[in-house]
Amino acid sequence: MSNLQLRVISAVVLAVVTLGLTWLGGLPFRLLCAAMTILIFYEWTRMCRPVAATGLGLLPEALLLVFVGALVAGLPASWLLLLVAVMVVVTVLVASMHQTSMHQTGQWDASGLAYAAISGLSLALLRDGDHSGLVAILFLFAVVWATDIAAYFVGRAVGGPKLAPSISPGKTQSGALGGAVGGVVAGLLLAAAAGAGNLAVLGVVALVLSLVSQAGDLFESWVKRRHNRKDSGRLIPGHGGVMDRVDGLVAAAFALYVIGWISATVDHPAQGLFPA
């Protein structure tokens, strides 16, 4: 089986599973977010920890499991956000008590905890359990997936100057622009199909999400280059690791969560953008 066939099959399976659990919402979707959180942190630490380093023992993993339990249990957003802050602070403080090399490893562990936990938290709280949450997640998927597809095809067709050659040599400015246009169009189509009335506002939100998703992709590429890795992992056939597939999505999810938080509440962010 060719690499292209593996990529297509993996993409279809992932899309079906993700959309199915998104439709169900509630506990099934929180379990998906919890699994994603664990896998992101696992791949982050495999990339960022020196081979010979013992790190901080199992402290970061233990802290993450506490967070995952709280996420699955459906604790309020304020408690989850406080828990993320505590995890990061504890990891940084414990790492600061060790020698320089261990201190640097601890800083990467703390960053990984924040990255993984905020990723899972943003998606879980955006979905919530109501219709507004479902539309919000589908809007997010539409923007991010369309951005990726449009950026790829426009970049290949048009070419031109590179977007960030020192970080991701394959990405072009034309692809970034095409991705932004594709993301806005897809987001507006989804919003219109869902009966949303504030299309002008949602068009601006879609543009922000598209740009943030591309920035999230570049950020993960920078982390991989910083640690001399080509892929974050090998879990997904033909695609690499989980982080390779969700880097743009989780960045955009956090952006949409913050926008919804400002518009509504910290526990029900989707209702500010997609009122029932």
Side-chain angles (χ1 to χ4, degrees):
M1 185 177 295
S2 68
N3 187 63
L4 177 59
Q5 290 174 317
L6 282 174
R7 287 178 65 87
V8 172
I9 293 173
S10 298
V12 171
V13 171
L14 286 172
V16 169
V17 171
T18 300
L19 290 174
L21 294 175
T22 299
W23 180 267
L24 291 173
L27 179 60
F29 189 76
R30 291 200 303 274
L31 288 171
L32 173 65
C33 295
M36 186 188 70
T37 299
I38 292 172
L39 290 171
I40 287 175
F41 186 68
Y42 172 79
E43 292 182 352
W44 180 285
T45 54
R46 297 290 78 74
M47 287 194 298
C48 300
R49 285 177 180 171
V51 175
T54 57
L56 304 174
L58 294 177
L59 175 63
E61 285 79 2
L63 291 172
L64 187 72
L65 287 179
V66 171
F67 171 82
V68 165
L71 182 67
V72 171
L75 262 62
S78 56
W79 285 100
L80 293 174
L81 290 167
L82 177 61
L83 186 53
V84 173
V86 170
M87 290 193 306
V88 172
V89 170
V90 168
T91 304
V92 169
L93 288 177
V94 173
S96 66
M97 301 175 186
H98 293 73
Q99 63 267 33
T100 303
S101 61
M102 207 65 68
H103 177 53
Q104 293 175 346
T105 302
Q107 289 179 326
W108 280 106
D109 279 358
S111 300
L113 282 172
Y115 182 78
I118 289 296
S119 297
L121 178 153
S122 299
L123 285 166
L125 292 178
L126 276 171
R127 176 59 183 92
D128 205 7
D130 55 19
H131 179 71
S132 296
L134 175 61
V135 176
I137 290 292
L138 294 179
F139 176 79
L140 174 70
F141 288 165
V143 172
V144 174
W145 292 350
T147 296
D148 287 345
I149 295 170
Y152 175 77
F153 284 106
V154 172
R156 286 178 63 90
V158 178
K162 300 299 183 180
L163 180 64
S166 63
I167 299 175
S168 185
K171 291 181 172 56
T172 61
Q173 295 177 17
S174 62
L177 179 59
V181 173
V184 171
V185 171
L188 286 176
L189 289 175
L190 188 286
N198 51 341
L199 293 182
V201 173
L202 291 176
V204 175
V205 172
L207 177 60
V208 171
L209 297 185
S210 180
L211 296 176
V212 170
S213 72
Q214 295 186 61
D217 193 344
L218 288 174
F219 170 72
E220 198 239 357
S221 295
W222 173 80
V223 173
K224 289 189 294 188
R225 279 189 170 273
R226 175 69 174 73
H227 297 281
N228 300 312
R229 297 296 183 97
K230 182 180 183 295
D231 297 314
S232 64
R234 299 179 180 178
L235 181 64
I236 306 174
H239 288 270
V242 172
M243 283 180 62
D244 294 322
R245 293 299 91 208
V246 303
D247 48 10
L249 177 68
V250 296
F254 180 58
L256 185 58
Y257 174 72
V258 172
I259 293 170
W261 177 357
I262 295 171
S263 304
T265 68
V266 65
D267 286 298
H268 306 287
Q271 294 179 6
L273 293 170
F274 300 98

